[in-house]
């Protein structure tokens, strides 16, 4: 049996590293044929290429290209967005583990080329949902979610009617750990530091999504992600706080039945699920031990202290380019917070004020999306302290 070829784009990050762990266990089933990363960890990218004998490598700059070419003989090195698009059309399965809007070329190219897209990069789907809709029906194309909540829903929908819009589903229930600031009051949140925001209680992830989890913007993005992935309007997507991160999400059917997926918080499980479909890979990354006590709690989210959630629903209600604006402003704000230019509170304030200045634009073409992203960033950057 020939092996499934895999392109892993964003190979040096948190999802990338965990995808490599899954691939190491399945050498007979998968062949890693292409990788890409940013400029921060080129040495790590070279090490991955050596370990897996990868022939095609994507980097963001010509300088990084030189470094890779010097270190490795006989490999093809491609650069920038064009390079990412090329690699994303080159394998049977494409794992999009790039962070932020930079992952857009991967999402669009993989689907347009009729590949399986195992999607961790939620930002591209949220910003480009209308463009994704146009290419995801390409013959052979398949969009499967690595994001643990959406992977749980994908599994919980297995028994649902195949009719568009899932008429026998009442609602999707996304679980959220609540992040490091769950239960904090307004006064305490005023003093929230970068180190505290980066200390996630249940998941170890890259810095951007960890900060998004602390503001609940990650859950807001996930509401839009769920709606785009499953074709269910955001009014039927709800969020519940579940501090243990064991129930990864749920589907409530019209008869009141709730189907959930449970495991330890371990991203290798959803990664392996997306790579293996329709088969299950025989290694239980997240298996629970029911011999020891296990308590599961569920609470409504604190929308007053974590307004990002309501902002995300509002962006969905506005539609058009609003989700792209929200996500772009959030990227700018999170970067400024990580660079210690703004306070934790200011992250969501910047997103909110940018969205208030939204200039209605339909997103029917790539150039319209790129312009919306550019404009939102411009406004968000202008609102940063000098
Ligand atoms: P990381 O910051 O750990 O990794 C990001 C990866 O993207 C790195 O390999 C980075 O390269 C690469 N990258 C950055 N910019 C570019 C670029 N311009 N071109 C190519 N590659 C680039 O992030 P995570 O792994 O945490 O997250 C990745 C995505 O997965 C995000 O969209 C996140 O929301 C989503 N996700 C993550 C989860 C997690 O558990 N981590 C869970 C669910 C979703 P370099 O190393 O050089 O910077
Ligand atoms: Mg998630």
């Amino acid at each position: 049996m020939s092996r499934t070829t895999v392109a892993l784009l964003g190979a040096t990050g948190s999802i990338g590293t965990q995808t490599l762990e899954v691939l190491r266990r399945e050498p007979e089933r998968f062949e890693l044929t292409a990788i890409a990363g940013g400029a921060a960890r080129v040495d790590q990218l070279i090490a991955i290429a050596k370990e897996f004998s990868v022939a095609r490598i994507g980097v963001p700059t010509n300088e990084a290209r030189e470094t890779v070419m010097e270190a490795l003989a006989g490999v093809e090195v491609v650069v920038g967005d064009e390079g990412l698009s090329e690699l994303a059309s080159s394998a049977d399965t494409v794992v999009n583990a790039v962070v932020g809007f930079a992952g857009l070329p991967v999402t669009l190219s993989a689907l347009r080329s009729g590949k399986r897209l195992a999607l961790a990069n939620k930002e591209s789907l949220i910003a480009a949902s209308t463009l994704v809709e146009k290419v995801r029906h390409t013959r052979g194309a398949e969009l499967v979610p690595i994001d643990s909540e959406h992977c749980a829903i994908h599994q919980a929908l297995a028994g649902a009617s195949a009719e568009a819009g899932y008429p026998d589903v009442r609602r999707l229930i996304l679980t959220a750990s609540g992040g490091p600031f769950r239960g904090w009051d307004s006064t305490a949140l005023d003093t929230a530091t970068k180190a505290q925001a980066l200390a996630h209680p249940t998941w170890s992830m890259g810095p951007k999504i960890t900060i998004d989890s602390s503001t609940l913007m990650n859950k807001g993005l996930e509401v839009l992600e769920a709606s785009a992935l499953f074709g269910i309007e955001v009014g039927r997507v709800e969020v519940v706080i579940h501090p243990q991160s064991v129930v990864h999400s749920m589907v409530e059917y019209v008869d009141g039945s709730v189907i959930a997926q449970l495991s330890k918080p371990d991203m290798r499980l959803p990664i392996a699920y997306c790579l293996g479909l329709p088969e299950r890979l025989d290694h239980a990354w997240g298996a629970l031990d029911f011999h020891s006590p296990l308590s599961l709690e569920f609470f409504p989210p604190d929308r007053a202290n974590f307004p990002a959630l309501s902002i995300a629903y509002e962006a969905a209600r506005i539609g058009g380019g609003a989700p792209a604006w929200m996500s772009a402003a959030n990227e700018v704000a999170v970067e400024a917070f990580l660079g210690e230019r703004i306070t934790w509170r200011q992250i969501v304030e910047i997103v909110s004020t940018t969205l208030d200045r939204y200039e209605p634009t339909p997103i029917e073409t790539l150039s319209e999306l790129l312009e919306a992203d550019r404009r939102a960033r411009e406004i968000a950057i202008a609102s940063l302290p000098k």
Side-chain angles (χ1 to χ4, degrees):
M1 204 181 77
S2 68
R3 293 190 290 172
T4 301
T5 55
V6 176
L8 173 56
L9 311 175
T12 51
S14 163
I15 292 289
T17 304
Q18 294 178 86
T19 304
L20 294 173
E21 288 178 34
V22 174
L23 295 177
R24 273 188 200 104
R25 288 201 68 90
E26 299 281 347
E28 268 116 58
R29 202 186 275 258
F30 302 110
E31 180 186 6
L32 185 62
T33 52
I35 55 173
R41 291 174 277 202
V42 178
D43 290 349
Q44 197 179 320
L45 205 59
I46 292 167
I48 298 166
K50 282 186 181 157
E51 181 190 343
F52 287 85
S53 306
V54 177
R56 308 185 80 188
I57 302 169
V59 290
T61 61
N62 283 321
E63 195 188 331
R65 182 173 188 272
E66 293 298 313
T67 311
V68 174
M69 300 280 275
E70 270 169 36
L72 301 168
V75 295
E76 182 192 349
V77 187
V78 295
V79 179
D81 286 1
E82 249 176 65
L84 284 179
S85 296
E86 210 179 308
L87 298 183
S89 68
S90 73
D92 302 324
T93 293
V94 178
V95 178
N96 189 352
V98 175
V99 60
F101 191 69
L104 180 69
V106 178
T107 293
L108 293 179
S109 170
L111 294 173
R112 198 184 293 120
S113 326
K115 307 300 183 186
R116 171 179 294 182
L117 172 64
L119 184 70
N121 178 273
K122 62 194 87 181
E123 295 93 342
S124 61
L125 174 62
I126 290 154
S129 60
T130 47
L131 304 183
V132 166
E133 204 47 46
K134 289 181 188 177
V135 288
R136 76 187 280 187
H137 304 291
T138 311
R139 193 182 160 86
E142 217 183 335
L143 176 48
V144 285
I146 285 180
D147 209 354
S148 56
E149 296 77 2
H150 307 76
C151 184
I153 289 171
H154 196 270
Q155 296 177 63
L157 282 173
S161 142
E163 225 177 294
Y166 294 102
D168 55 1
V169 168
R170 177 165 296 139
R171 54 187 178 141
L172 308 180
I173 305 164
L174 297 179
T175 53
S177 72
F181 302 140
R182 179 177 62 83
W184 284 38
D185 65 17
S186 178
T187 321
L189 288 172
D190 284 339
T191 67
T193 66
K194 176 177 156 184
Q196 288 167 330
L198 282 172
H200 197 281
T202 52
W203 295 98
S204 165
M205 310 178 286
K208 196 261 178 181
I209 184 174
T210 305
I211 300 304
D212 286 350
S213 299
S214 78
T215 58
L216 288 201
M217 180 51 83
N218 181 50
K219 212 49 55 178
L221 294 170
E222 289 183 354
V223 168
L224 292 160
E225 181 186 8
S227 173
L229 275 169
F230 303 111
I232 288 182
E233 63 278 14
V234 292
R236 285 160 72 206
V237 184
E238 287 183 24
V239 171
V240 63
I241 301 295
H242 166 52
Q244 292 79 22
S245 299
V246 165
V247 173
H248 294 296
S249 278
M250 304 177 260
V251 173
E252 185 186 297
Y253 285 83
V254 288
D255 63 357
S257 266
V258 174
I259 310 289
Q261 183 259 332
L262 282 70
S263 69
K264 285 182 190 159
D266 188 329
M267 288 308 296
R268 293 171 297 186
L269 188 157
I271 292 166
Y273 173 82
C274 289
L275 291 174
L277 265 177
E279 287 169 35
R280 295 264 179 184
L281 303 186
D282 190 4
H283 184 78
W285 295 105
L288 288 164
D289 175 8
F290 289 100
H291 294 100
S292 23
L294 177 64
S295 301
L296 304 175
E297 298 168 293
F298 300 93
F299 307 102
D302 174 358
R303 282 172 178 263
N305 279 317
F306 297 90
L309 208 47
S310 302
I311 292 172
Y313 280 98
E314 176 62 7
R317 191 194 60 73
I318 300 168
W325 273 58
M326 179 189 77
S327 187
N330 182 55
E331 280 190 41
V332 169
V334 169
E335 198 183 319
F337 175 71
L338 288 169
E340 298 185 86
R341 293 182 62 197
I342 60 170
T343 64
W344 181 82
R345 277 257 194 243
Q346 285 174 307
I347 302 173
V348 177
E349 280 167 17
I350 287 169
V351 177
S352 176
T353 54
T354 306
L355 199 57
D356 284 346
R357 295 183 56 193
Y358 169 60
E359 296 153 7
T361 32
I363 305 288
E364 295 301 331
T365 65
L366 181 60
S367 58
E368 283 168 346
L369 174 58
L370 296 177
E371 174 54 20
D373 176 76
R374 190 200 61 76
R375 185 72 184 124
R377 280 172 204 268
E378 187 174 69
I379 292 174
I381 289 168
S383 68
L384 294 175
K386 299 292 168 274

